Amino acid sequence: MSEAIISREELQLAARNHGMPLEALRFDLTPIGLHYLLTHYDIPQVDPSAWRLELGGLVERPVSLSLDDLRARPDVELAVTMECAGNGRVHVEPHVVSQPWLLEAVGTARWRGAPLAGLLEEAGVRDGAVEVLFTGLDRGVEGGEEQDYARSIPLEEALRDDVLLAYEVNGVPLPPQHGFPLRLLVPGWYGMTSVKWLARIDVLDEPFDGYQQRHSYRFRQDEDEVGEPVRRIQVRALMVPPGIPEFLTRARVLTAGEHVLEGRAWSGAGEVTGVDVSTDGGATWAEAELEDDTLGRWAWRRWRFRWDARLGEHELCCRARDDAGNVQPLDPPWNVGGYANNAVQRVSVNVTDV
Amino acid sequence: MSEAIISREELQLAARNHGMPLEALRFDLTPIGLHYLLTHYDIPQVDPSAWRLELGGLVERPVSLSLDDLRARPDVELAVTMECAGNGRVHVEPHVVSQPWLLEAVGTARWRGAPLAGLLEEAGVRDGAVEVLFTGLDRGVEGGEEQDYARSIPLEEALRDDVLLAYEVNGVPLPPQHGFPLRLLVPGWYGMTSVKWLARIDVLDEPFDGYQQRHSYRFRQDEDEVGEPVRRIQVRALMVPPGIPEFLTRARVLTAGEHVLEGRAWSGAGEVTGVDVSTDGGATWAEAELEDDTLGRWAWRRWRFRWDARLGEHELCCRARDDAGNVQPLDPPWNVGGYANNAVQRVSVNVTDV
């Protein structure tokens, strides 16, 4: 076994915050229970009959809505790939202490809800509005500050027609862990944006500077830097680890011969335009076959790659690019929070003749 | 932060194998996605139209059944608390390297399926039968042996009327991660017994000696010992950590005054007869109020305890006992596999006046 790298506190987080086992990349829509979950504090207990959504701040007509009110509004269903901004954190050096994600902090689901834009329009956004703030019912302490989890987005993002107040996932009411009874959904942005257990929406005349916006989720090279905010999901491809695993090490064993490697690719910053695969640790690359975006703009796309596996040890890699000119880096980028590490995945396999 | 205690390999397991966040002890039935999961190898992809259950070995009439055949049989629905035999492993000393469970490897669900006993009766168990073996579709390498996951139980356990071939959980078809399309369910036994992705049942004339029976899941003080098999779930109580958490450390903060502590207690070896609570680290104990077993014999029971929380640091503990004479130990028992550590839970809380 290798040396210890994770503390008890980080393990506590890993035990609570569920990753998507990578064989679940096979599913177009991630089954409930396999989608990744990151819960900052505790999953709150919400009585849906007492719950209301309050919309206020810089609006002409503040609004208060029950869950039935929201369900009676025009609705949209949208397949969305969601990824945690901390996905890949364990692979950055030096080590960053927080939720210790390897590569499993992703999932794709079909969310149904009421578009936020229509609600904002009815409430009447007043001149001078710049951001919209979303506050959840999950409460805890972070950086010494007791807080309700809260994050904002710029007004122009809030007015996109695909930003939803979602009450269903994969055809069923939100389970407690996904934000029951209501969550925000901002396609293309990292998951911390899509506030769960949503209770309040406030239109603001200046940028929100709460803990999760001011301190967390910023690209910084040292603690004192202000840094740029973490926003759009960076381009990434992941593959289903081929063959069968060894229980403890997850080392992969594969029989020699023809195999189809498969995986998914996505980007919040642009459309995925291609995926390259290497079967020799990145020395040479060849293009994978990329499926059409059958699930829509905001969901991952399947890719496949035929491989004639020869005996011996091989390192498989996949690397996606998008039409905004982004391509996955070969080495993990580092920042204080360990955010947005979209370096290429590397999977070692032992090809045998049995 | 404390020192590193967990290797990358163990973290890989923790990222795949989901725990139940302890605030979910509030639910009678654990929502899908919060129930614990332990998957030895990969979650297999199963085509339900091609899948069949084969029953053979020491029987008069071997049987082959489709999923529809199974659904057409008499069915039983049963609430069952399931726990991993490795729950609590991280708390044993010296450290045992395997799936690093803290205390979250538990969940309670309502399973529906066909009783196994009726099927065995129809097949006609022949004289000399001693065990029944269950083989899943999940394949991997463990201890240097390539294997399908397989475990047996004694014939008399297989003939219990509450042992099910389950195809539904909480009212829906099994999700992939819980064994779709069919799993065994042996109430009262640790979870490794309830084989998922079930494909074959074999009646045996001698005890099964496959890897998971011969090597894993045995109480041993050293590797060379044969040891006794791990079977029934040991008595345990867990509590919902009160108050709110600090994100990184999960340290709990609570306001002073009256609080109701709550949790659940269960045992596979007997009926739970009581839960004691300590608010001073185990120096003194008082009896909690134990709810009736509204979910039936095989599910956990809720307990509650009124606590007038005074300012300062407190260590809360809970300790269950059953009518088979078992009581939770104060200190973790040790064995080679780190199994069945049911030592009392300890939760530190900081009571403040804010």
Side-chain angles (χ1 to χ4, degrees), chain A residues 52-195:
Chain A
R52 294 191 76 83
L53 175 68
E54 307 291 340
L55 166 59
L58 208 62
V59 294
E60 302 289 349
R61 294 165 294 279
V63 176
S64 174
L65 296 165
S66 69
L67 189 55
D68 284 345
D69 294 338
L70 278 155
R71 287 185 159 272
R73 296 184 60 83
D75 63 313
V76 168
E77 202 178 44
L78 211 56
V80 175
T81 295
M82 197 183 294
E83 186 176 10
C84 185
N87 202 14
R89 181 178 285 127
V90 165
H91 300 292
V92 306
E93 288 281 347
H95 185 70
V96 172
V97 174
S98 185
Q99 161 61 31
W101 290 124
L102 293 148
L103 289 173
E104 296 90 346
V106 67
T108 297
R110 205 183 285 278
W111 304 88
R112 178 183 296 280
L116 172 65
L119 201 64
L120 288 172
E121 197 173 310
E122 285 174 33
V125 173
R126 288 164 54 189
D127 288 350
V130 295
E131 280 195 354
V132 183
L133 173 64
F134 303 87
T135 304
L137 291 167
D138 43 334
R139 189 166 181 80
V141 180
E142 210 167 340
E145 298 180 27
E146 190 174 323
Q147 59 194 283
D148 296 325
Y149 185 81
R151 290 265 315 168
S152 70
I153 55 176
L155 181 62
E156 63 270 24
E157 292 284 334
L159 293 173
R160 282 166 47 185
D161 60 7
D162 49 17
V163 170
L164 302 185
L165 302 172
Y167 45 74
E168 271 187 23
V169 58
N170 292 0
V172 298
L174 296 187
Q177 68 271 24
H178 282 296
F180 179 84
L182 192 78
R183 72 175 303 168
L184 178 66
L185 194 77
V186 182
W189 285 51
Y190 280 114
M192 75 288 179
T193 315
S194 293
V195 176

Side-chain angles (χ1 to χ4, degrees), chain A residues 181-248:
Chain A
L182 192 78
R183 72 175 303 168
L184 178 66
L185 194 77
V186 182
W189 285 51
Y190 280 114
M192 75 288 179
T193 315
S194 293
V195 176
K196 299 189 284 288
W197 310 290
L198 189 60
R200 267 205 74 80
I201 301 176
D202 292 280
V203 178
L204 306 182
D205 63 359
E206 58 183 23
F208 176 59
D209 74 341
Y211 183 86
Q212 301 298 338
Q213 209 93 15
R214 181 188 78 245
H215 183 90
S216 296
Y217 302 111
R218 301 194 79 90
F219 291 110
R220 295 178 293 150
Q221 290 299 309
D222 65 72
E223 284 282 356
D224 300 330
E225 196 185 336
V226 174
E228 288 299 309
V230 177
R231 292 184 162 176
R232 295 266 175 170
I233 296 173
Q234 299 298 299
V235 66
R236 192 197 296 271
L238 289 177
M239 81 178 80
V240 176
I244 60 171
E246 203 277 326
F247 169 68
L248 202 57

Side-chain angles (χ1 to χ4, degrees), chain A residues 2 5-6 9 18-19 42 252, chain B residues 2 5 9 18-19 42 252:
Chain A
S2 60
I5 58 167
I6 297 297
E9 285 77 5
H18 297 170
D42 287 357
R252 311 297 303 190
Chain B
S2 59
I5 58 167
E9 285 78 5
H18 297 169
D42 288 357
R252 312 297 304 189

Side-chain angles (χ1 to χ4, degrees), chain A residues 81 83 87 188 190 232-238 264-276 290 297 318-329 333 340-345:
Chain A
T81 295
E83 186 176 10
N87 202 14
Y190 280 114
R232 295 266 175 170
I233 296 173
Q234 299 298 299
V235 66
R236 192 197 296 271
L238 289 177
R264 304 277 175 167
W266 61 92
S267 169
E271 300 241 18
V272 172
T273 48
V275 174
D276 290 326
L290 186 65
R297 161 67 187 98
C318 54
R319 189 183 199 190
R321 54 188 183 277
D322 68 24
D323 67 3
N326 302 298
V327 59
Q328 288 185 253
N341 168 20
N342 66 331
V344 299
Q345 179 191 15

Side-chain angles (χ1 to χ4, degrees), chain B residues 22-74:
Chain B
L22 294 187
E23 63 268 30
L25 288 164
R26 290 200 184 97
F27 299 106
D28 282 349
L29 298 179
T30 311
I32 290 172
L34 291 180
H35 194 290
Y36 99 89
L37 282 177
L38 189 291
T39 310
H40 275 249
Y41 312 126
D42 288 357
I43 298 168
Q45 213 179 6
V46 183
D47 173 0
S49 64
W51 174 92
R52 294 190 75 85
L53 175 67
E54 307 292 339
L55 165 58
L58 207 62
V59 294
E60 301 291 349
R61 295 166 292 278
V63 176
S64 173
L65 296 164
S66 71
L67 189 54
D68 285 344
D69 294 338
L70 278 156
R71 287 184 160 272
R73 296 184 61 83

